[in-house]
Amino acid sequence: MQSETISQPTAYEMAVHNFEAAADALELSEDIRAMIKYPERILTVEVPVRMDNGRIQRYVGYRVQHSTARGPAKGGIRYHPDVTLDEVKALAMWMTWKCAVVNVPFGGGKGGVTCNPKELSLNELERLTRRYTVGILPLIGPAQDIPAPDVYTNAQVMAWIMDTYSMTKREGYPVPGVVTGKPLCVGGSHGRNEATARGVLHTLECACEHLRLRLKGARVVVQGFGNAGSIAALLLGGHQSLIIAVNDSRGGVYNKDGLDIPKLMLHKERTGSVVGFPASEPISPEDLLALECEVLIPAALENAIHGENARAVKAKVVAEAANGPLTPEADKILEGNGTFIIPDILCNAGGVTVSYFEWVQNEQHLFWDIYDIQQRLERVMKTSFTEVVNLHVDRKVSMRLAANMLGIGRVAETTAARGLYP
Ligand code: NAD
């Protein structure tokens, strides 16, 4: 999503930039910064895969643990052609602050394999996943580091990881707590699949209350129609918001009177894209971001909104379902225009929150029903929003800085209390 002419900051540069701003605002000492800023562990693995044609194709994968100060590392696994170590380091760092914002006892981690899963058969995807899992075995485990789904990985991929770990580490019996986002039948949790989107909905409800805006009837634009984006659109449609445009990697669709999201989800399932949906007109990625609307939900990849296109954004609220969709330059422009930003480490934290619930259920062998999950999730999201917005108002800082101050402040506090080995 980077501009072809002007180079945008890398994801890790953005993460470090935002860390330093929060550390300055918190007046953290250089010693504490040195202890919490850098990744604790970085693993790069070779992933040779036997393809369906009998040949070996080589892939490269990563697992980064940014912090285990507050608990086991937690974070998704991404399969995408643009995965780099820089990106995985940034995503792991954001996970550390995110887990602290919602106050779950996890640190931050992330993983990825540089590959194009759309070009792999199901069998090739399974072999790649199992081989990658063997590569990262030294790091993962229910008490050390717990992966989850991210871009182009899903519950099935988590089931393969769980199975591979269980076969190799524990002589054959299942260890469901090693991953979250699993299918229900292998120890997954009710509500995990929709958790990120439900969290987006709750933070939007809070933001609208804070801004005295009405979510009912609000025009919503969604960039990225995957797990986070499509379910957010579905839930908001259920709250009578008008989803006027969405897109995915292949193109976008627009209808000023609102798209029928359940039908659009079926269309995407059948055809692989939102493109060509009846009762809609095509829209380019640039025009989609520039639409007149109340709410814009970036739900694709990093750097989607940057110095070159931020001025075109007209939304009153930007809800960051994706991680890192705004560059620091875009932040400045949107804040200057009075746009209210719900920052990623708050907005999309519903996913890791229900991942935490799933892990607790696995560890206790005691399962909760969907009502328990939804109530607990709503409480966590609304409490976290209140804590961030209070800092935003009291300290007169941006929502992003407020969220980073809350998360980074908690990690700094734990680190200072624990001290260092001599
Ligand atoms: P996904 O693989 O389910 O969906 C990604 C979607 O983005 C797909 O529809 C894809 O076509 C679309 N996309 C890719 N490139 C695009 C582009 N250039 N323009 C428009 N659309 C594009 O992934 P997901 O799990 O929904 O993750 C999306 C974002 O949300 C990521 O930033 C991820 O880190 C973040 N996130 C996801 C979760 C989760 O639980 N799934 C939790 C927190 C944050």
Side-chain angles (χ1 to χ4, degrees):
M1 228 175 266
Q2 299 205 346
S3 149
E4 282 177 17
T5 46
I6 298 183
S7 83
Q8 304 298 336
T10 69
Y12 191 60
E13 282 166 355
M14 286 177 10
V16 168
H17 174 278
N18 287 333
F19 168 80
E20 294 294 355
D24 288 348
L26 290 163
E27 298 180 13
L28 292 187
S29 70
E30 287 305 322
D31 287 351
I32 288 287
R33 290 180 203 221
M35 288 161 74
I36 69 175
K37 176 171 163 181
Y38 303 98
E40 281 174 18
R41 290 189 186 88
I42 296 178
L43 180 63
T44 301
V45 293
E46 285 292 320
V47 188
V49 178
R50 188 165 306 278
M51 308 303 278
D52 292 345
N53 64 10
R55 304 290 309 270
I56 296 289
Q57 172 78 43
R58 171 186 168 257
Y59 297 92
V60 176
Y62 309 97
R63 185 73 192 170
V64 173
Q65 294 176 351
H66 174 260
S67 170
T68 54
R70 288 171 42 94
K74 186 85 191 81
I77 288 177
R78 180 173 292 196
Y79 290 171
H80 194 277
D82 296 339
V83 164
T84 60
L85 180 56
D86 177 283
E87 180 187 59
V88 179
K89 276 164 59 185
L91 290 162
M93 193 189 217
W94 286 326
M95 282 305 297
T96 304
W97 317 142
K98 185 188 303 183
C99 291
V101 164
V102 285
N103 219 353
V104 294
F106 286 140
K110 203 81 182 188
V113 179
T114 314
C115 66
N116 186 351
K118 290 179 186 168
E119 291 172 354
L120 300 176
S121 70
L122 195 64
N123 284 332
E124 288 168 341
L125 198 64
E126 176 174 354
R127 289 196 287 272
L128 176 133
T129 299
R130 290 188 184 277
R131 191 73 198 199
Y132 168 67
T133 305
V134 170
I136 63 168
L137 271 183
L139 294 196
I140 61 173
Q144 292 96 40
D145 183 349
I146 306 137
D150 191 71
V151 174
Y152 298 159
T153 56
N154 56 21
Q156 176 60 74
V157 172
M158 296 308 115
W160 290 327
I161 295 176
M162 188 279 250
D163 185 65
T164 309
Y165 178 89
S166 302
M167 286 191 307
T168 46
K169 278 274 182 182
R170 299 286 178 97
E171 295 155 19
Y173 66 81
V175 186
V178 66
V179 283
T180 58
K182 301 176 290 295
L184 273 180
C185 61
V186 293
S189 174
H190 288 292
R192 174 60 185 89
N193 191 45
E194 60 166 50
T196 303
R198 194 166 279 280
V200 172
L201 169 70
H202 291 317
T203 57
L204 264 171
E205 286 171 335
C206 293
C208 285
E209 203 180 314
H210 175 72
L211 299 168
R212 298 185 200 292
L213 273 176
R214 277 162 60 89
L215 205 47
K216 189 174 167 183
R219 291 164 301 173
V220 178
V221 170
V222 182
Q223 181 202 47
F225 202 65
N227 173 279
S230 68
I231 304 178
L234 185 71
L235 294 175
L236 282 160
H239 279 63
Q240 287 156 25
S241 302
L242 213 58
I243 319 301
I244 58 169
V246 308
N247 72 355
D248 60 26
S249 59
R250 297 187 195 167
V253 288
Y254 168 69
N255 182 334
K256 70 172 174 32
D257 298 322
L259 297 157
D260 184 329
I261 298 300
K263 283 192 181 147
L264 183 53
M265 288 171 92
L266 280 176
H267 175 83
K268 170 131 182 158
E269 212 179 294
R270 268 201 311 270
T271 66
S273 172
V274 297
V275 172
F277 181 59
S280 74
E281 47 189 276
I283 187 164
S284 71
E286 300 76 33
D287 290 347
L288 176 127
L289 290 178
L291 282 170
E292 288 280 356
C293 62
E294 280 67 48
V295 177
L296 171 62
I297 305 182
L301 299 171
E302 302 89 58
N303 272 352
I305 305 174
H306 44 74
E308 299 303 294
N309 62 8
R311 278 182 192 81
V313 171
K314 299 184 188 70
K316 292 188 175 61
V317 180
V318 172
E320 294 185 329
N323 286 305
L326 269 62
T327 65
E329 204 181 346
D331 263 352
K332 251 193 233 154
I333 294 168
L334 291 184
E335 276 159 27
N337 289 345
T339 311
F340 188 85
I341 297 168
I342 312 176
D344 48 7
I345 60 171
L346 169 67
C347 188
N348 69 36
V352 78
T353 302
V354 177
S355 274
Y356 167 60
F357 298 162
E358 181 175 333
W359 177 77
V360 168
Q361 293 170 78
N362 291 155
E363 293 297 281
Q364 294 185 338
H365 307 278
L366 177 67
F367 283 84
W368 310 344
D369 63 31
I370 185 70
Y371 303 104
D372 259 354
I373 301 276
Q374 287 182 351
Q375 271 178 11
R376 286 172 193 260
L377 173 63
E378 182 168 359
R379 211 160 48 230
V380 169
M381 294 310 297
K382 293 194 166 171
T383 303
S384 306
F385 184 94
T386 304
E387 288 179 310
V388 172
V389 92
N390 285 348
L391 264 176
H392 159 69
V393 171
D394 295 347
R395 297 283 303 262
K396 297 187 175 47
V397 295
S398 70
M399 281 292 284
R400 178 158 342 269
L401 185 51
N404 278 315
M405 285 169 69
L406 182 64
I408 292 168
R410 282 184 173 147
V411 177
E413 188 187 2
T414 305
T415 305
R418 287 180 51 179
L420 261 191
Y421 295 176

